[in-house]
Amino acid sequence: MRLSQFHLATVKEVPAEAELVSHKLMLRAGMIRKLAAGLYTWSPLGLRVLRKVETVVREEMDRAGAIEMLMPTIQPRELWEETGRWEKFGGQLLKIADRKAQEFCYAPTAEEVITDFARQELKSYKQLPVNFYQIQTKFRDEIRPRFGVMRAREFLMKDAYSFHLGQESLAQTYQAMYDAYGRIFTRLGLKFRAVQADTGAIGGNASHEFQVIAESGEDAIAFSDGSDYAANVEKAEALAPTVARPAPSIPLVRVDTPRQKTIDDVSAFLKVSPQQCVKTLLLKGREGLVALCLRGDHEINEVKAGKLAELPGESVLASEEEILAAVGARPGSLGPVGLPDHIPVIVDRSAAVLADFVCGGNLDGTHYTGANWERDARVTRIEDIRQVVAGDPSPDGRGTLQLARGIEVGHVFQLGAKYAEALNATVLDDQGKAQVMLMGCYGIGVSRIVAAAIEQRHDDAGIRWPEAMAPWRVAVCMINPKGLPEVTAAAEALYAQLAERGIEVVFDDRGLRPGSMFADMELIGIPHRVVVSERGVAAGTLEYRARDEADSRQLGIDELFALLA
Amino acid sequence: MRLSQFHLATVKEVPAEAELVSHKLMLRAGMIRKLAAGLYTWSPLGLRVLRKVETVVREEMDRAGAIEMLMPTIQPRELWEETGRWEKFGGQLLKIADRKAQEFCYAPTAEEVITDFARQELKSYKQLPVNFYQIQTKFRDEIRPRFGVMRAREFLMKDAYSFHLGQESLAQTYQAMYDAYGRIFTRLGLKFRAVQADTGAIGGNASHEFQVIAESGEDAIAFSDGSDYAANVEKAEALAPTVARPAPSIPLVRVDTPRQKTIDDVSAFLKVSPQQCVKTLLLKGREGLVALCLRGDHEINEVKAGKLAELPGESVLASEEEILAAVGARPGSLGPVGLPDHIPVIVDRSAAVLADFVCGGNLDGTHYTGANWERDARVTRIEDIRQVVAGDPSPDGRGTLQLARGIEVGHVFQLGAKYAEALNATVLDDQGKAQVMLMGCYGIGVSRIVAAAIEQRHDDAGIRWPEAMAPWRVAVCMINPKGLPEVTAAAEALYAQLAERGIEVVFDDRGLRPGSMFADMELIGIPHRVVVSERGVAAGTLEYRARDEADSRQLGIDELFALLA
């Protein structure tokens, strides 16, 4: 592509409306333009990148045996009523009435329509398993659309749905999709993790999120440095310490700790490490208050705590008044020693192996030293209720955990019979008996990947595309202020030779000053830049610079081809 | 693709809901499935064809220098208010309110959004001309959606919009698009015509429709057998006869023609040809009745008649009562001789060169013979008011006209300043002065082409795809009821060899009976079928049949490859 024949419209100013780096850079590079809240036009430059992602997704879905089709974006209310989601989906469902007052929605997902398709098309177990997918525009009427295409209302999604007779078949396709997703993000050149996800309200089957690693990510994830283990931090198990609890060696002593309320305060004041302290939280339980005890350097994991039988499914701290009334002390001085008998004491596995620890004195301005479980403090039960931290052993026994932030770009899910049951989607089994099908669903946020990649790969000058996502792999920049025919000829020849080799190349023939041209190519993230200039033509070399390298170097043309091969 | 790994779901029954052949065959082939009125799911088979069309359209748009981008399907009311189309577009515009009661529409077309994009992105004449396009889902809330994807509500459209400073540049891009459209429909293997279209309400610039020729087409078109001339019949000019009107040679005689009311009646009764008769229609004019006289074998062209100054923009026949009151005779006996002076007599060019003709007597049950213009009947004006007929000379002077019916699948249009003016889309010219841009727009109904192709190419057995649109070019059908390993091996080898040569091939490995297998392959329209069977393997030949040939023949493998190359 010659840039003179393309529409490139980069912007110098940092757009005020954008918070995320990816949003800023996509606007500055002219990849997208806002039409209305959460609605973006993809410019020619932006679309080139979007299509790269789409193509990789399609190729790997096909390779994994999924079959592409296309469902309407506008879907009738009746089908969504059959699953109860017309109401349950909530405000994100964009509802529409046509000229005859028939009601429809703009599909945010397509379980209803594909299951309706399947119940009409699939009659026999012989047609199973089958895995249908589409790459189609979706709409979610976000209350607060923001972050550009990261959380847009209209977006491009790949959604796949598989149908099975039996869990084993579902598990196989699930694994095939899991593997395909791995290939997709690997081919796209992104650092990612497949993390175990909480299956939440839908129920107990397997689910993995694919997270692109980026500091700005909304999700915290934990992964092992010694295995493939990765999980959303909400779900990552903190293993029980392998050491046994030492026997008590010192007496319990109450000490004055005036105005020392946090673990940091107390550990500094008493000159003990936070790891030797126990912090105690009082939560509102199903029946009265519940005490949770954690090691001083650990934080509570609210998802894990929410699953305790004593708690009502969520973690709500008791108020200062409630705590004062029950214990006689304020939150900064709580501890497990001498808590009233009606308060269950749930102790985290890591806190449970401490001996001779420091904890609150249940009397304002005091703490205990030399506290010990059983001897001094009651233990109702030992549980895993904390967030994992970097350095924890991996739950699969291999390696230690590291923490990172991630952007969810894919999700695979074993749905089971939920939708097929609601829509009565059955096939005849080999005995001629109607059986409800099992389903899996597998989503990828195609447009979101573009933003996620930028979050992961950028610097002060702009985007650093991985090769597979770059709008073009190579930029040929011509510097020819004197209009020398030999320079033009050399640039044209290089452009033609690269194109002939099937290398995607953009020829910057706009005649800009070198500074502007280079700034553009860096901003839009072209991985390889080659400059053709009077000096280079005279010397018979090309000035090459990789987007990821600080300096340029002189290459012969064969070296360039070898480098790009 | 192995059919056992694909989802093919053909149906034997002819669906009752479908009127058009293409709709019936697409349902029977399992290409589409109705979700709701005017909303269709494209099955894997259907999508393969749709993507073929999309790919050809994209390649030719790119080749013609158009630049692909992507606009949202959901567009804000405010923009549509700027052009006045929020109201003017009418009931086809699907209007939507989001959760904050902001109003949007589902785009039926994108002039507003692209012009808004252009007014922000384009600043200087140096950025012109530029031609943006997208291939994107559209929605038109048809009152009576029917004919399957031929007139669906949600459909896939390629829409392009070009921007210019000056008419010459617009005309150049218009021509480039015209040429690209020709390449597209030629590559798709369709018989088509680019016809001059009436520019209608939008105004006087150039416009062409691209019509796929098919008997079931909604549009009548006329085209020359000696040139590229083609036009919608509504617009095709009927040239004036080159012969002069002969002098009268016989006297005017009133004859009794009891119960003879139509031209056919009268010409048979009086033993004269319809070409020697004049038929007279009385229409409601702006001021009283207007008489239109045509040769007996010609029909009125209502679009041409509607442009007469005497008529109110449309052609409405006077009632029998009005005619009786004005003339004293009923419609079956009307003629130009002796009409009251207040009725203008507009004579078609072909009727105006007749002498000694037959016409109604303006007295029920009578006609005149030997009637002549001027001598016997007043002529207010001579005009072109008839439909062209096959055999008419082409208006461009080369060849004669033929008639056909067509399905509109593309439209190119010089919009001029209409939208750019409404949205104030200007660029600075080379004098630094703001100038409103000129625009062209260029649409192709991508999903409609699929149906139109079937209308043009089908037989009793099913679809006859052109090679470029077929889901696969070749079907390898394995007949192996005994499960002989050498037959399986031969079929597998042939499948592999075809695939290696880059030939799109489907391998029917479902193990069906030959009749069912062949019926499926004919129904879904695969151009080339090769049978691998025990007998063929023994003889070292393949049984080949082209979809368009009645009989199969034996080929060696090299002959097959040569034929497909």
Side-chain angles (χ1 to χ4, degrees), chain B residues 68 212-213 224 508 549:
Chain B
E68 191 174 3
V212 165
I213 305 302
S224 171
D508 195 343
E549 291 170 8

Side-chain angles (χ1 to χ4, degrees), chain A residues 381-451:
Chain A
R381 212 163 64 252
I382 297 169
E383 294 276 7
D384 171 23
I385 54 173
R386 71 170 171 94
Q387 302 273 35
V388 293
V389 295
D392 277 342
S394 177
D396 68 353
R398 291 182 291 152
T400 57
L401 291 183
Q402 306 203 13
L403 297 184
R405 299 204 69 82
I407 299 165
E408 185 188 337
V409 289
H411 201 151
V412 293
F413 210 102
Q414 295 191 18
L415 287 172
K418 182 180 160 79
Y419 292 96
E421 221 158 61
L423 290 154
N424 194 29
T426 62
V427 291
L428 299 181
D429 65 14
D430 56 1
Q431 310 294 315
K433 209 177 128 204
Q435 300 274 9
V436 171
M437 291 182 277
L438 297 182
M439 287 175 64
C441 73
Y442 319 96
I444 286 184
V446 176
S447 43
R448 182 174 242 217
I449 286 173
V450 177

Side-chain angles (χ1 to χ4, degrees), chain B residues 163-179:
Chain B
F163 294 86
H164 310 272
L165 208 57
Q167 174 62 30
E168 193 183 340
S169 166
L170 170 55
Q172 275 170 8
T173 297
Y174 182 86
Q175 186 62 42
M177 284 294 98
Y178 182 98
D179 296 342

Side-chain angles (χ1 to χ4, degrees), chain A residues 7 33 99-100 121 143, chain B residues 7 33 100 121 141 143:
Chain A
H7 175 73
R33 191 171 269 281
R99 66 196 298 169
K100 292 171 184 161
E121 298 260 330
I143 270 203
Chain B
H7 175 72
R33 191 170 269 281
K100 291 170 184 161
E121 298 261 329
D141 198 2
I143 270 204

Side-chain angles (χ1 to χ4, degrees), chain B residues 29 52 149 270 279 336 381 391 414 420 424 431 446 468 500 502 526:
Chain B
K52 296 281 171 85
V149 299
L270 297 179
K279 76 168 104 174
R381 215 163 64 252
Q414 295 190 20
N424 194 31
Q431 309 295 312
V446 176
E500 266 166 34
I526 308 302

